[in-house]
Amino acid sequence: MTIGKTGAVDLSGQGQEQAVKRKSGVALWRQIADQIRQAISAGTLGADGKLPPEMVLSERFGVNRHTLRSAIAALVQEGVLRAEQGRGTFVESRQKLSYPISARTRFSTGLRSQTRDRRSNLLAHAVEPAGKRVAEGLGLPEDAPVVRLETLSEADDRPVSRATSWFDAERFPGYAEAYAETGSITLAFQRYGIEDYFRKSTLVSARHADAADLADLKLSAGAIVLVAVAVNVDAEGVPIQYAETRFVADRVELSVSTEA
């Protein structure tokens, strides 16, 4: 990061200004929040652990302090920054969790060495007709009955992912109750005689969090989530779970491995 004679802050580290775009359809505070986040990740802002004063940043972006504070407040809520009254705004030093995606992907065991406490909670469930993509993922006829689970996973009291999973309702009757009692996909499967299962495929993308994810993952509007769409199969290769998991991009990175 460099500060020019005009007081403007170069967030790119390459002498190039990143002007915010008015009337772009994206709120100014969101644009500023995204640029600050990117600069922190690149090491060109807050390398010493602290953000420049509000006056410097507001001049850099050409906005008033109220708009800048909205951006900073959003990043504080998302766990990127930490505000200390009378001292300033600091970069939250907690490292991202590395979530392994492999032949045996499990939430609890995957984060065991990185966290003290891990838990998953059932938010909602229903039995519904399978839509086209769910039916294809599970190898079922379209409109076949499936169990849908909405779950929230936390690590050390921080929400890290929100998932929607579908299961064949005829093969797994009462699956939601089994999950609610065990708090684990793996333990719930064991009640149906499935001692082990494997990841067949994972497709990863990124998007803005929707309203439900914003609320449950404690994010601010415009936050980014990593989306992993996955199919798990039993020992015979039959699909048993189709899932879409949204990970908080500022808290989790996905590590793909070819090992079991």
Side-chain angles (χ1 to χ4, degrees):
M1 178 189 71
T2 57
I3 301 179
K5 294 180 180 179
T6 61
V9 179
D10 169 21
L11 299 185
S12 68
Q14 299 177 349
Q16 297 177 350
E17 294 291 336
Q18 301 180 32
V20 294
K21 298 179 181 179
R22 288 172 167 78
K23 299 182 180 180
S24 66
V26 180
L28 293 181
W29 68 264
R30 185 72 258 175
Q31 295 182 55
I32 295 169
D34 289 343
Q35 289 194 31
I36 291 175
R37 178 192 292 104
Q38 292 167 7
I40 290 172
S41 297
T44 57
L45 181 66
D48 61 352
K50 185 177 181 180
L51 256 60
E54 286 185 358
M55 180 183 67
V56 174
L57 288 175
S58 61
E59 288 180 359
R60 152 67 183 92
F61 289 109
V63 297
N64 58 42
R65 293 194 185 185
H66 176 75
T67 301
L68 177 69
R69 287 169 183 166
S70 295
I72 291 176
L75 294 176
V76 168
Q77 180 179 343
E78 293 169 24
V80 178
L81 299 175
R82 180 183 74 258
E84 296 185 11
Q85 188 172 6
R87 296 191 60 209
T89 304
F90 298 83
V91 177
E92 183 56 72
S93 60
R94 282 187 288 188
Q95 292 184 339
K96 288 185 179 181
L97 297 172
S98 180
Y99 186 81
I101 295 177
S102 64
R104 285 184 174 86
T105 297
R106 310 287 190 268
F107 173 76
S108 184
T109 56
L111 299 180
R112 180 177 295 164
S113 64
Q114 305 172 63
T115 58
R116 298 183 305 277
D117 179 62
R118 299 156 303 282
R119 70 186 67 181
S120 294
N121 304 303
L122 179 61
L123 302 177
H125 64 90
V127 175
E128 61 189 22
K132 182 177 180 181
R133 64 188 181 94
V134 173
E136 289 177 350
L138 291 175
L140 299 174
E142 196 166 342
D143 293 330
V146 291
V147 177
R148 174 176 53 82
L149 302 188
E150 301 286 346
T151 58
L152 178 69
S153 295
E154 298 176 313
D156 293 338
D157 298 322
R158 284 204 306 169
V160 295
S161 66
R162 189 179 187 279
T164 306
S165 301
W166 292 266
F167 311 83
D168 182 353
E170 293 186 358
R171 184 176 181 183
F172 303 109
Y175 190 90
E177 290 73 16
Y179 178 86
E181 291 175 9
T182 63
S184 165
I185 295 291
T186 300
L187 295 178
F189 273 142
Q190 289 178 3
R191 295 195 173 185
Y192 299 88
I194 298 176
E195 296 299 327
D196 202 2
Y197 59 97
F198 307 89
R199 180 62 57 94
K200 178 183 178 182
S201 64
T202 305
L203 179 64
V204 179
S205 61
R207 63 167 170 77
H208 291 290
D210 62 20
D213 291 338
L214 291 175
D216 291 324
L217 295 172
K218 299 180 181 179
L219 301 173
S220 57
I224 301 297
V225 291
L226 303 176
V227 184
V229 177
V231 175
N232 286 325
V233 298
D234 63 17
E236 284 71 43
V238 178
I240 56 175
Q241 179 188 12
Y242 180 82
E244 179 190 274
T245 305
R246 286 83 71 197
F247 296 89
V248 181
D250 285 323
R251 301 171 195 164
V252 180
E253 61 183 13
L254 304 181
S255 175
V256 180
S257 171
T258 57
E259 298 179 359

